[in-house]
Amino acid sequence: MPISSQVPSRAELTDHLVRTRIAGQVATPRENNLSHYRKLANGDRHYWLGLDLGDRWTDEQDVLAVMAERCGVVDDPDHRAGQDTIDPELTVAALDRLAARLRKAAVDKQSVLLATGHPGGLLDVHRATADALRAAGCEIVRIPGGLTADEAQVWQFADVAVLERGATLWHTHSPAPMAAILDGLAAEGRPQPDLVVADHGWAGCAGQRGLDSVGYADSNDPALFLGESEGTLQVVVPLDDHVRDPRYYDPMTAYLLHGAGLLEG
């Protein structure tokens, strides 16, 4: 795996995250973040990412408080426009927690399902994770064939479940593709995964169904952080989930897999 040749130190990774705007002063503007927090609080299910938030998060300011704590956005409610942030220290700390969960999966030879709604940014992060877990003896769950969701096909590409339509891998926040996979496994009499590594509604749906679910979320996707705060998801890593060059995630992936004991060096 090309990323295994150089594993950054914690300080080097933090600098890299800021320099590439995976964290630090990220591209997502404050207005977009607050708009999503407000829509979630107003009950728009699109922003719940497959979680059942009930009536527990109806105050936008409560959502902002969790996002400041777990993602590192500016905690001032009067900051309504302009630059917003993700705290790189929170990103690295979450990567450490995620590494611990991946290590457990490897030690216990667990079955793992990987999926992404952000194939333009995070596909190779998930693919490299799948490769490393398989090499450690984990079962990478093979999804049932012929699945559909949201008028598209649910495929597995490089061991990562994705949504495909018109020969294109789709960016999606929907929980429906993950629901199709989990229902499809049950229909075939196969067990549910021991661990789901995902993002967007793929991660939210899995966590809501009671599976161990971990993954990644941007500063404008508050639902997964709320789920983590309530214990529905185990780990959520805050980051910009679609930076200019997906290769920018390679040092982060190397750090993660090394911390999990899945890389040499």
Side-chain angles (χ1 to χ4, degrees):
M1 184 168 16
I3 63 168
S4 65
S5 58
Q6 289 190 334
V7 178
S9 68
R10 186 186 185 94
E12 289 169 341
L13 178 60
T14 300
D15 289 344
H16 171 78
L17 295 174
V18 172
R19 186 172 61 256
T20 57
R21 301 184 74 185
I22 294 173
Q25 294 191 344
V26 293
T28 308
R30 179 68 166 190
E31 299 94 317
N32 186 261
N33 284 340
L34 294 182
S35 172
H36 286 202
Y37 305 169
R38 181 167 55 254
K39 290 173 180 176
L40 179 148
N42 288 339
D44 188 331
R45 298 304 193 269
H46 174 78
Y47 297 93
W48 287 20
L49 301 182
L51 294 169
D52 181 1
L53 301 177
D55 59 0
R56 300 184 300 279
W57 300 99
T58 58
D59 187 333
E60 178 186 347
Q61 300 309 316
D62 290 342
V63 178
L64 174 60
V66 170
M67 293 302 292
E69 175 190 16
R70 293 181 178 267
C71 185
V73 302
V74 177
D75 61 1
D76 180 3
D78 293 326
H79 178 52
R80 309 300 300 177
Q83 183 67 57
D84 213 341
T85 57
I86 292 175
D87 185 342
E89 295 294 339
L90 292 177
T91 303
V92 178
L95 288 168
D96 289 340
R97 298 195 305 275
L98 179 53
R101 184 60 186 86
L102 295 179
R103 181 185 290 269
K104 173 177 171 54
V107 169
D108 294 344
K109 303 295 188 287
Q110 293 184 334
S111 62
V112 185
L113 173 63
L114 300 100
T116 186
H118 237 302
L122 298 179
L123 179 62
D124 206 44
V125 177
H126 291 299
R127 189 276 312 163
T129 303
D131 285 352
L133 288 170
R134 175 180 283 110
C138 289
E139 174 197 353
I140 303 304
V141 175
R142 185 177 180 86
I143 72 170
L147 298 179
T148 61
D150 298 328
E151 301 181 343
Q153 307 297 314
V154 184
W155 281 6
Q156 202 161 22
F157 180 75
D159 286 325
V160 183
V162 294
L163 194 66
E164 186 274 343
R165 185 188 301 160
T168 301
L169 303 185
W170 276 68
H171 172 218
T172 178
H173 289 74
S174 174
M178 179 59 75
I181 293 173
L182 300 180
D183 291 345
L185 291 171
E188 292 183 352
R190 295 166 58 193
Q192 299 290 284
D194 296 317
L195 175 65
V196 172
V197 183
D199 48 66
H200 287 179
W202 306 79
C205 175
Q208 187 62 46
R209 292 200 179 196
L211 302 177
D212 281 7
S213 182
V214 298
Y216 307 91
D218 209 328
S219 59
N220 62 356
D221 290 328
L224 297 189
F225 295 101
L226 301 182
E228 183 188 35
S229 75
E230 294 186 328
T232 310
L233 284 89
Q234 292 191 321
V235 182
V236 179
V237 179
L239 47 65
D240 186 318
D241 54 16
H242 196 128
V243 293
R244 183 169 57 85
D245 185 347
R247 292 275 70 81
Y248 289 163
Y249 297 109
D250 285 357
M252 180 194 82
T253 308
Y255 178 91
L256 170 67
L257 298 181
H258 178 68
L262 301 175
L263 288 183
E264 298 294 328

